[in-house]
């Protein structure tokens, strides 16, 4: 089963994808985590994408499609993939369909998290991430046991440089202009399920899990 989790920046995609991938034995593939890892390594790819990420703009399709589709070829023994942050444009969605169908696979279900803009800014400015294991926290809603330190590996948490109010505005613009039309694309295929992302983490997880179970039949 191959799933996509859609939603605006800060909707809770990464938080939920980490949990769902454990429960359903899926490989969690986050395009943002992949790009941040490249930047951390100081690779040529990392250098090419930095300016777009820092400005809150989408990385060009040609770059991200190659990166993610290469990763997809290695499914690593899991029961499928849970894509988080990809696709973000129509061109990315059609490339994904093409590659999956070439391997007799497809996107089986798209989970769309709905969260209003008023909540997004608080979620994003309060987000802290672990640069070692990519765990996601929030200073108030989901704090680590010890302030500023990852529960899993003790690494000091960081505040992403693009998680500022100014950059969030640009990221929301990119979302509404380029990504939200994907809801219609997947709705027409009959595979879109919308889930209220404003509940607490466990409440959203329960709703998403129920949607997956009902699709699994
Ligand atoms: P996305 O991957 O969609 O950008 P994240 O999963 O990183 O979003 O979540 C954004 C921020 O909101 C994080 O700080 C996370 O801890 C927090 N968060 C996620 N889900 C919830 C929720 N249901 N209620 C409150 N805060 C949440
Ligand atoms: P995220 O971690 O999902 O918030 O992504 C962080 C940044 O990485 C985005 O603001 C974009 O600059 C870039 N990015 C991640 N995924 C994609 C994608 N599918 N298409 C284009 N840019 C992306």
């Amino acid at each position: 089963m191959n799933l996509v989790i859609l939603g605006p920046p800060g909707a809770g995609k990464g938080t939920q994808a980490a949990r769902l991938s454990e429960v359903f034995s899926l490989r969690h593939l986050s395009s943002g985590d992949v790009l941040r890892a490249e930047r951390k390594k100081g690779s040529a790819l990392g250098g090419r994408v930095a300016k777009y990420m820092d400005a809150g703009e989408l990385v060009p399709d040609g770059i991200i499609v190659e990166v993610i589709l290469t990763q997809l070829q290695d499914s690593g023994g899991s029961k499928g993939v849970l894509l988080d942050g990809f696709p973000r444009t129509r061109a990315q969605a059609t490339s994904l369909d093409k590659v999956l169908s070439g391997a007799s696979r497809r996107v089986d279900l798209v989970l769309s998290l709905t969260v209003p803009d008023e909540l997004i800014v608080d979620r994003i400015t309060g987000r802290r991430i672990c640069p070692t294991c990519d765990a996601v926290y929030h200073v108030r809603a989901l704090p680590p046991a010890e302030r500023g330190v990852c529960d899993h590996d003790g690494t000091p948490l960081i505040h992403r440089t693009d998680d500022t109010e100014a950059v969030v505005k640009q990221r929301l613009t990119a979302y509404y202009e380029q990504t939200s039309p994907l809801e219609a694309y997947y709705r027409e295929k009959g595979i879109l399920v919308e889930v209220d992302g404003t509940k607490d983490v466990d409440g959203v997880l329960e709703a998403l899990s129920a949607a997956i179970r009902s699709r699994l039949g």
Side-chain angles (χ1 to χ4, degrees):
M1 168 164 253
N2 302 299
L3 307 185
V4 169
I5 187 157
L6 270 186
K13 300 182 297 296
T15 301
Q16 296 299 333
R19 289 159 175 76
L20 290 170
S21 59
E22 286 276 317
V23 176
F24 293 96
S25 305
L26 299 167
R27 175 176 172 217
H28 175 196
L29 182 51
S30 155
S31 51
D33 287 349
V34 170
L35 296 177
R36 279 184 289 279
E38 291 294 328
R39 290 182 67 174
K40 201 169 151 193
K41 274 197 289 190
S43 70
L45 170 65
R48 280 164 76 203
V49 298
K51 67 170 189 269
Y52 301 103
M53 295 175 78
D54 291 343
E57 290 166 10
L58 295 189
V59 165
D61 286 334
I63 299 179
I64 193 75
V65 164
E66 193 186 329
V67 172
I68 297 300
L69 298 189
T70 306
Q71 294 256 347
L72 261 184
Q73 259 128 41
D74 168 27
S75 278
S78 57
K79 291 186 182 153
V81 70
L82 174 46
L83 286 165
D84 155 20
F86 183 92
R88 260 174 155 105
T89 64
R90 177 77 183 236
Q92 293 177 21
T94 51
S95 302
L96 175 64
D97 287 345
K98 219 188 217 167
V99 161
L100 288 177
S101 75
S104 303
R105 294 163 66 190
R106 63 190 165 130
V107 175
D108 298 288
L109 184 62
V110 178
L111 302 160
S112 175
L113 283 178
T114 54
V115 176
D117 289 1
E118 307 87 80
L119 274 183
I120 295 292
V121 175
D122 173 68
R123 285 197 181 179
I124 287 206
T125 52
R127 172 161 56 190
R128 299 291 182 273
I129 63 165
C130 173
T132 301
C133 71
D134 299 318
V136 181
Y137 300 88
H138 187 277
V139 287
R140 286 177 304 282
L142 269 177
E146 188 188 335
R147 195 190 154 112
V149 173
C150 181
D151 292 345
H152 307 293
D153 49 37
T155 306
L157 302 180
I158 59 168
H159 187 203
R160 281 170 47 179
T161 52
D162 60 344
D163 275 352
T164 60
E165 215 170 320
V167 182
V168 170
K169 294 219 167 84
Q170 179 54 45
R171 288 161 67 196
L172 279 171
T173 301
Y175 172 76
Y176 287 114
E177 286 179 359
Q178 294 166 274
T179 308
S180 67
L182 291 183
E183 287 185 346
Y185 177 77
Y186 288 123
R187 190 176 293 118
E188 273 164 33
K189 291 177 181 284
I191 55 173
L192 185 85
V193 175
E194 286 178 273
V195 170
D196 176 7
T198 64
K199 301 201 182 82
D200 66 14
V201 171
D202 288 343
V204 178
L205 181 62
E206 210 169 286
L208 291 169
S209 301
I212 296 172
R213 285 201 186 93
S214 93
R215 181 63 53 147
L216 281 172

